Amino acid sequence: MLLAQSDLRSLTVFRAVVDHKSFLGAQIALGLSQSAVSFHIKALEDRLGFKLCQRGRSGFELTDRGAIVHERSKGLFLALNAFESDIGALKNRITGTLRLGLVDNTITDSDLPIHRVIARISERAPEARVELAIDTPDALLSEIANGGLDIALLPETQPYQGLKLSRFREEIHSLYCAQGHPLFRQAEAELTIEHVETFDFVVRPYANMRELQFFPKARARAIASNMEAQAMFVSGHYLGYLPDHYARGWVQKGRFRQLMPEETRIHSTFVIATRSTEKPSTILDFFIRELAGIASEAVHMGHSFAPGNATS
Protein backbone atom coordinates (compact mmCIF):
# COMPACT_ATOMS: atom_id res chain seq x y z
CA MET A 1 0.00 0.00 0.00
CA LEU A 2 1.47 3.35 -1.12
CA LEU A 3 0.37 6.11 1.23
CA ALA A 4 -1.24 9.15 -0.34
CA GLN A 5 -1.92 12.51 1.32
CA SER A 6 -5.58 11.51 1.64
CA ASP A 7 -4.53 8.38 3.56
CA LEU A 8 -2.53 10.46 6.04
CA ARG A 9 -5.51 12.76 6.53
CA SER A 10 -7.79 9.78 7.15
CA LEU A 11 -5.23 8.31 9.56
CA THR A 12 -5.18 11.62 11.44
CA VAL A 13 -8.96 11.48 11.80
CA PHE A 14 -8.80 7.82 12.88
CA ARG A 15 -6.20 8.64 15.55
CA ALA A 16 -8.41 11.47 16.84
CA VAL A 17 -11.39 9.10 17.07
CA VAL A 18 -9.31 6.62 19.07
CA ASP A 19 -7.75 9.28 21.29
CA HIS A 20 -11.17 10.76 22.13
CA LYS A 21 -12.88 7.35 22.23
CA SER A 22 -15.72 8.56 20.05
CA PHE A 23 -16.63 10.11 16.72
CA LEU A 24 -18.10 13.10 18.56
CA GLY A 25 -14.83 13.79 20.36
CA ALA A 26 -12.95 13.72 17.06
CA GLN A 27 -15.52 16.04 15.49
CA ILE A 28 -15.00 18.63 18.21
CA ALA A 29 -11.21 18.27 18.28
CA LEU A 30 -10.78 18.51 14.50
CA GLY A 31 -13.66 20.88 13.74
CA LEU A 32 -15.24 18.41 11.31
CA SER A 33 -18.82 17.37 10.73
CA GLN A 34 -20.08 13.91 11.68
CA SER A 35 -20.35 12.97 8.02
CA ALA A 36 -16.75 14.07 7.38
CA VAL A 37 -15.39 11.94 10.23
CA SER A 38 -17.42 8.95 9.04
CA PHE A 39 -16.19 9.50 5.47
CA HIS A 40 -12.52 9.42 6.52
CA ILE A 41 -12.94 6.26 8.62
CA LYS A 42 -14.82 4.52 5.82
CA ALA A 43 -12.22 5.63 3.25
CA LEU A 44 -9.38 4.30 5.41
CA GLU A 45 -11.17 0.99 5.96
CA ASP A 46 -11.73 0.66 2.20
CA ARG A 47 -8.07 1.35 1.51
CA LEU A 48 -6.91 -1.19 4.12
CA GLY A 49 -9.53 -3.78 3.31
CA PHE A 50 -10.78 -4.44 6.85
CA LYS A 51 -12.83 -2.91 9.66
CA LEU A 52 -11.01 -0.62 12.07
CA CYS A 53 -13.73 -0.14 14.65
CA GLN A 54 -17.25 -1.03 15.67
CA ARG A 55 -19.64 1.81 16.26
CA GLY A 56 -23.24 1.81 17.29
CA ARG A 57 -25.54 2.12 20.27
CA SER A 58 -23.06 0.29 22.48
CA GLY A 59 -20.44 2.94 21.71
CA PHE A 60 -17.05 2.94 19.98
CA GLU A 61 -14.68 -0.02 20.09
CA LEU A 62 -11.53 -0.84 18.12
CA THR A 63 -11.25 -4.14 16.31
CA ASP A 64 -8.09 -6.17 16.88
CA ARG A 65 -6.74 -5.02 13.52
CA GLY A 66 -7.80 -1.46 14.26
CA ALA A 67 -5.78 -1.52 17.48
CA ILE A 68 -2.70 -2.68 15.53
CA VAL A 69 -3.18 0.06 12.91
CA HIS A 70 -3.46 2.68 15.63
CA GLU A 71 -0.32 1.42 17.38
CA ARG A 72 1.69 1.33 14.12
CA SER A 73 0.46 4.81 13.16
CA LYS A 74 2.27 6.28 16.16
CA GLY A 75 5.65 5.40 14.71
CA LEU A 76 4.60 6.70 11.31
CA PHE A 77 3.60 10.12 12.61
CA LEU A 78 6.69 10.33 14.81
CA ALA A 79 8.82 9.65 11.72
CA LEU A 80 6.92 12.24 9.67
CA ASN A 81 7.41 14.85 12.36
CA ALA A 82 11.13 13.99 12.60
CA PHE A 83 11.44 14.25 8.81
CA GLU A 84 9.75 17.67 8.81
CA SER A 85 12.05 18.80 11.62
CA ASP A 86 15.19 17.56 9.84
CA ILE A 87 14.22 19.29 6.57
CA GLY A 88 13.62 22.50 8.49
CA ALA A 89 17.06 22.17 10.09
CA LEU A 90 18.64 21.83 6.64
CA LYS A 91 17.03 25.18 5.78
CA ASN A 92 18.11 26.64 9.15
CA ARG A 93 14.50 26.84 10.26
CA ILE A 94 12.70 25.45 13.29
CA THR A 95 9.71 23.46 12.04
CA GLY A 96 7.60 20.51 13.09
CA THR A 97 5.04 19.98 15.84
CA LEU A 98 5.71 20.09 19.58
CA ARG A 99 3.18 18.09 21.60
CA LEU A 100 3.43 19.38 25.15
CA GLY A 101 1.75 17.93 28.23
CA LEU A 102 1.09 19.73 31.52
CA VAL A 103 -0.77 18.96 34.72
CA ASP A 104 -3.77 21.16 35.40
CA ASN A 105 -3.76 24.65 36.90
CA THR A 106 -0.15 25.63 36.27
CA ILE A 107 -1.21 28.88 34.61
CA THR A 108 -1.35 30.62 38.00
CA ASP A 109 2.28 29.73 38.75
CA SER A 110 4.41 32.83 38.10
CA ASP A 111 7.52 30.64 38.53
CA LEU A 112 6.48 28.51 35.56
CA PRO A 113 5.53 30.93 32.77
CA ILE A 114 4.99 28.40 29.98
CA HIS A 115 3.18 31.13 28.07
CA ARG A 116 6.52 32.92 27.71
CA VAL A 117 8.10 29.88 26.04
CA ILE A 118 5.08 29.51 23.75
CA ALA A 119 5.33 33.19 22.85
CA ARG A 120 9.02 32.77 21.96
CA ILE A 121 8.18 29.83 19.71
CA SER A 122 5.57 31.98 17.97
CA GLU A 123 8.11 34.78 17.49
CA ARG A 124 11.23 32.81 16.57
CA ALA A 125 9.77 29.68 14.99
CA PRO A 126 6.59 30.77 13.19
CA GLU A 127 6.57 27.65 11.02
CA ALA A 128 6.42 25.36 14.07
CA ARG A 129 3.21 24.21 15.74
CA VAL A 130 2.45 23.60 19.41
CA GLU A 131 -0.20 21.20 20.69
CA LEU A 132 -0.97 21.41 24.41
CA ALA A 133 -2.59 18.65 26.49
CA ILE A 134 -3.66 18.93 30.14
CA ASP A 135 -3.97 15.62 32.01
CA THR A 136 -3.02 13.63 35.10
CA PRO A 137 0.65 12.67 35.62
CA ASP A 138 -0.02 8.99 34.86
CA ALA A 139 -1.82 9.83 31.62
CA LEU A 140 0.94 12.21 30.53
CA LEU A 141 3.63 9.59 31.14
CA SER A 142 1.62 7.05 29.16
CA GLU A 143 1.32 9.47 26.25
CA ILE A 144 5.05 10.18 26.34
CA ALA A 145 5.78 6.45 26.24
CA ASN A 146 3.40 5.65 23.38
CA GLY A 147 4.38 8.61 21.22
CA GLY A 148 1.33 10.77 21.82
CA LEU A 149 3.38 13.55 23.46
CA ASP A 150 6.95 14.77 23.00
CA ILE A 151 7.49 16.33 26.41
CA ALA A 152 5.61 16.82 29.66
CA LEU A 153 6.12 18.77 32.87
CA LEU A 154 4.71 16.91 35.86
CA PRO A 155 5.29 16.02 39.53
CA GLU A 156 8.20 13.65 40.13
CA THR A 157 7.42 9.96 39.74
CA GLN A 158 9.28 6.67 39.75
CA PRO A 159 11.69 6.02 36.84
CA TYR A 160 10.31 4.21 33.80
CA GLN A 161 12.33 2.37 31.19
CA GLY A 162 12.50 4.37 27.98
CA LEU A 163 11.66 7.68 29.65
CA LYS A 164 14.09 10.41 30.66
CA LEU A 165 13.01 12.33 33.78
CA SER A 166 15.00 15.49 34.54
CA ARG A 167 14.40 17.31 37.81
CA PHE A 168 13.27 20.83 37.08
CA ARG A 169 11.77 22.81 39.95
CA GLU A 170 9.97 22.77 43.30
CA GLU A 171 6.30 23.61 43.84
CA ILE A 172 5.10 24.50 47.34
CA HIS A 173 1.84 22.95 48.61
CA SER A 174 0.05 23.87 51.84
CA LEU A 175 -2.96 22.49 53.66
CA TYR A 176 -6.13 24.57 53.19
CA CYS A 177 -9.63 24.83 54.54
CA ALA A 178 -12.47 27.04 53.34
CA GLN A 179 -14.64 29.64 54.97
CA GLY A 180 -17.30 27.85 57.01
CA HIS A 181 -15.02 25.01 58.08
CA PRO A 182 -14.64 24.68 61.89
CA LEU A 183 -10.90 25.38 61.60
CA PHE A 184 -11.23 28.51 59.48
CA ARG A 185 -11.60 30.89 62.44
CA GLN A 186 -9.50 28.96 64.93
CA ALA A 187 -6.34 30.67 66.12
CA GLU A 188 -3.13 29.33 64.57
CA ALA A 189 -1.60 28.81 68.02
CA GLU A 190 -4.44 26.43 68.93
CA LEU A 191 -3.95 24.14 65.93
CA THR A 192 -2.23 20.80 66.48
CA ILE A 193 -1.60 17.78 64.28
CA GLU A 194 -3.82 15.65 66.52
CA HIS A 195 -6.71 18.12 66.26
CA VAL A 196 -6.45 18.79 62.51
CA GLU A 197 -6.32 15.10 61.58
CA THR A 198 -9.72 14.49 63.17
CA PHE A 199 -11.34 16.21 60.17
CA ASP A 200 -12.03 14.74 56.73
CA PHE A 201 -9.33 15.09 54.05
CA VAL A 202 -9.44 15.01 50.27
CA VAL A 203 -6.43 13.50 48.45
CA ARG A 204 -5.29 12.87 44.89
CA PRO A 205 -4.55 9.21 44.08
CA TYR A 206 -1.48 10.04 41.97
CA ALA A 207 0.10 11.75 45.00
CA ASN A 208 0.40 8.30 46.66
CA MET A 209 -0.92 9.56 50.02
CA ARG A 210 2.05 11.94 50.41
CA GLU A 211 -0.52 14.57 51.32
CA LEU A 212 -1.12 12.79 54.62
CA GLN A 213 2.54 12.44 55.61
CA PHE A 214 2.12 14.92 58.47
CA PHE A 215 -1.28 13.52 59.49
CA PRO A 216 -0.86 9.74 59.90
CA LYS A 217 -4.27 9.25 61.53
CA ALA A 218 -6.21 11.44 59.10
CA ARG A 219 -9.19 10.09 57.17
CA ALA A 220 -9.06 10.37 53.38
CA ARG A 221 -12.80 10.55 52.77
CA ALA A 222 -12.70 11.99 49.23
CA ILE A 223 -10.65 11.43 46.07
CA ALA A 224 -9.90 14.19 43.54
CA SER A 225 -8.56 13.50 40.06
CA ASN A 226 -6.97 16.94 39.65
CA MET A 227 -6.33 20.25 41.39
CA GLU A 228 -9.61 21.86 40.36
CA ALA A 229 -11.51 18.92 41.85
CA GLN A 230 -9.32 19.16 44.96
CA ALA A 231 -10.21 22.85 45.36
CA MET A 232 -13.89 22.01 44.89
CA PHE A 233 -13.73 19.55 47.80
CA VAL A 234 -11.89 22.12 49.93
CA SER A 235 -14.69 24.58 49.15
CA GLY A 236 -17.06 21.85 50.33
CA HIS A 237 -15.45 21.79 53.77
CA TYR A 238 -12.82 19.10 53.31
CA LEU A 239 -9.18 19.69 54.20
CA GLY A 240 -6.82 19.38 51.28
CA TYR A 241 -3.42 20.31 49.91
CA LEU A 242 -3.19 22.84 47.08
CA PRO A 243 -0.26 24.60 45.39
CA ASP A 244 0.21 27.97 47.07
CA HIS A 245 0.17 29.81 43.73
CA TYR A 246 -3.16 28.19 42.85
CA ALA A 247 -4.83 28.91 46.21
CA ARG A 248 -3.48 32.46 46.54
CA GLY A 249 -6.48 34.10 44.85
CA TRP A 250 -8.98 32.44 47.21
CA VAL A 251 -6.82 33.30 50.21
CA GLN A 252 -6.71 36.96 49.19
CA LYS A 253 -10.50 36.97 48.87
CA GLY A 254 -10.84 35.52 52.36
CA ARG A 255 -12.36 32.23 51.15
CA PHE A 256 -9.45 29.85 51.87
CA ARG A 257 -6.96 29.70 54.73
CA GLN A 258 -3.60 27.96 55.14
CA LEU A 259 -3.34 25.64 58.12
CA MET A 260 -0.05 25.19 59.97
CA PRO A 261 1.99 26.10 56.88
CA GLU A 262 5.39 26.11 58.58
CA GLU A 263 4.90 22.64 60.08
CA THR A 264 3.02 20.85 57.29
CA ARG A 265 4.16 22.43 54.01
CA ILE A 266 5.01 19.97 51.20
CA HIS A 267 7.65 20.48 48.50
CA SER A 268 6.59 18.84 45.23
CA THR A 269 9.43 18.26 42.76
CA PHE A 270 8.56 18.73 39.09
CA VAL A 271 10.35 16.89 36.30
CA ILE A 272 10.67 17.21 32.54
CA ALA A 273 9.69 13.91 30.90
CA THR A 274 10.83 12.93 27.39
CA ARG A 275 11.60 9.69 25.57
CA SER A 276 15.19 8.67 26.27
CA THR A 277 15.74 6.74 23.03
CA GLU A 278 14.77 9.51 20.65
CA LYS A 279 16.80 12.34 19.14
CA PRO A 280 15.06 15.63 20.04
CA SER A 281 13.47 17.44 17.11
CA THR A 282 14.50 21.02 16.42
CA ILE A 283 11.31 22.36 17.99
CA LEU A 284 11.68 20.16 21.08
CA ASP A 285 15.31 21.20 21.46
CA PHE A 286 14.30 24.85 21.11
CA PHE A 287 11.55 24.47 23.74
CA ILE A 288 13.92 22.83 26.24
CA ARG A 289 16.56 25.53 25.72
CA GLU A 290 14.01 28.31 26.20
CA LEU A 291 12.63 26.59 29.30
CA ALA A 292 16.15 26.28 30.71
CA GLY A 293 16.68 29.97 30.06
CA ILE A 294 13.59 30.85 32.08
CA ALA A 295 14.75 28.49 34.83
CA SER A 296 18.12 30.23 34.93
CA GLU A 297 16.44 33.64 35.16
CA ALA A 298 14.26 32.39 38.02
CA VAL A 299 17.25 31.03 39.96
CA HIS A 300 18.94 34.42 39.77
CA MET A 301 15.72 36.00 41.07
CA GLY A 302 15.59 33.54 43.98
CA HIS A 303 12.61 31.56 42.72
CA SER A 304 12.00 27.85 43.19
CA PHE A 305 13.52 26.33 40.07
CA ALA A 306 15.86 23.47 40.82
CA PRO A 307 17.34 21.88 37.66
CA GLY A 308 18.84 18.52 38.50
CA ASN A 309 20.01 15.19 37.20
CA ALA A 310 18.05 13.00 34.83
CA THR A 311 16.91 9.44 35.44
CA SER A 312 15.57 6.89 33.01
Side-chain angles (χ1 to χ4, degrees), residues 68-232:
I68 294 173
V69 170
H70 180 255
E71 186 63 31
R72 295 293 187 271
S73 73
K74 296 174 184 176
L76 171 63
F77 279 85
L78 282 174
L80 288 172
N81 192 43
F83 176 80
E84 183 180 5
S85 175
D86 289 344
I87 296 301
L90 292 175
K91 297 188 291 185
N92 296 316
R93 296 176 184 171
I94 299 174
T95 59
T97 300
L98 176 72
R99 295 163 303 171
L100 167 66
L102 298 172
V103 290
D104 67 314
N105 294 306
T106 57
I107 193 170
T108 56
D109 189 352
S110 59
D111 283 354
L112 187 63
I114 295 297
H115 64 278
R116 287 175 53 191
V117 185
I118 293 175
R120 290 179 186 178
I121 291 174
S122 177
E123 294 166 2
R124 303 178 190 179
E127 295 180 51
R129 298 179 298 276
V130 179
E131 298 176 0
L132 179 60
I134 307 294
D135 217 323
T136 64
D138 288 345
L140 293 176
L141 287 173
S142 177
E143 284 299 296
I144 290 283
N146 67 29
L149 291 174
D150 302 306
I151 184 171
L153 275 64
L154 64 155
E156 188 174 32
T157 183
Q158 65 181 13
Y160 288 93
Q161 186 175 4
L163 297 184
K164 178 182 178 182
L165 305 176
S166 303
R167 289 189 176 184
F168 180 52
R169 62 179 298 272
E170 298 285 333
E171 183 179 71
I172 308 301
H173 294 220
S174 297
L175 183 67
Y176 289 89
C177 70
Q179 189 175 31
H181 190 280
L183 296 179
F184 190 81
R185 301 290 181 188
Q186 190 163 345
E188 185 71 25
E190 298 176 359
L191 296 178
T192 64
I193 296 292
E194 292 74 21
H195 181 44
V196 171
E197 65 185 1
T198 62
F199 294 91
D200 292 341
F201 279 66
V202 57
V203 298
R204 290 159 295 143
Y206 61 82
N208 296 320
M209 302 303 285
R210 284 186 63 243
E211 294 162 306
L212 300 184
Q213 61 182 286
F214 296 109
F215 304 96
K217 296 181 181 178
R219 297 168 295 184
R221 292 297 179 88
I223 300 295
S225 62
N226 54 51
M227 283 301 178
E228 185 172 356
Q230 187 101 333
M232 189 72 71

Side-chain angles (χ1 to χ4, degrees), residues 55-66:
R55 50 213 186 264
R57 292 182 178 179
S58 59
F60 167 82
E61 185 177 356
L62 280 176
T63 64
D64 292 342
R65 290 178 176 180

Side-chain angles (χ1 to χ4, degrees), residues 176-179 184 230-236 240 242 246-258:
Y176 289 89
C177 70
Q179 189 175 31
F184 190 81
Q230 187 101 333
M232 189 72 71
F233 275 110
V234 172
S235 297
L242 295 169
Y246 180 52
R248 187 172 296 120
W250 288 300
V251 172
Q252 292 172 346
K253 293 176 182 178
R255 293 176 55 189
F256 281 10
R257 173 197 170 182
Q258 284 183 336

Side-chain angles (χ1 to χ4, degrees), residues 22-81:
S22 70
F23 278 40
L24 178 59
Q27 288 174 233
I28 296 171
L30 299 176
L32 298 175
S33 65
Q34 180 180 359
S35 60
V37 172
S38 297
F39 169 81
H40 280 291
I41 299 302
K42 181 66 165 57
L44 186 58
E45 289 177 334
D46 288 345
R47 284 280 283 157
L48 296 173
F50 52 79
K51 280 281 187 182
L52 293 169
C53 55
Q54 303 293 342
R55 50 213 186 264
R57 292 182 178 179
S58 59
F60 167 82
E61 185 177 356
L62 280 176
T63 64
D64 292 342
R65 290 178 176 180
I68 294 173
V69 170
H70 180 255
E71 186 63 31
R72 295 293 187 271
S73 73
K74 296 174 184 176
L76 171 63
F77 279 85
L78 282 174
L80 288 172
N81 192 43

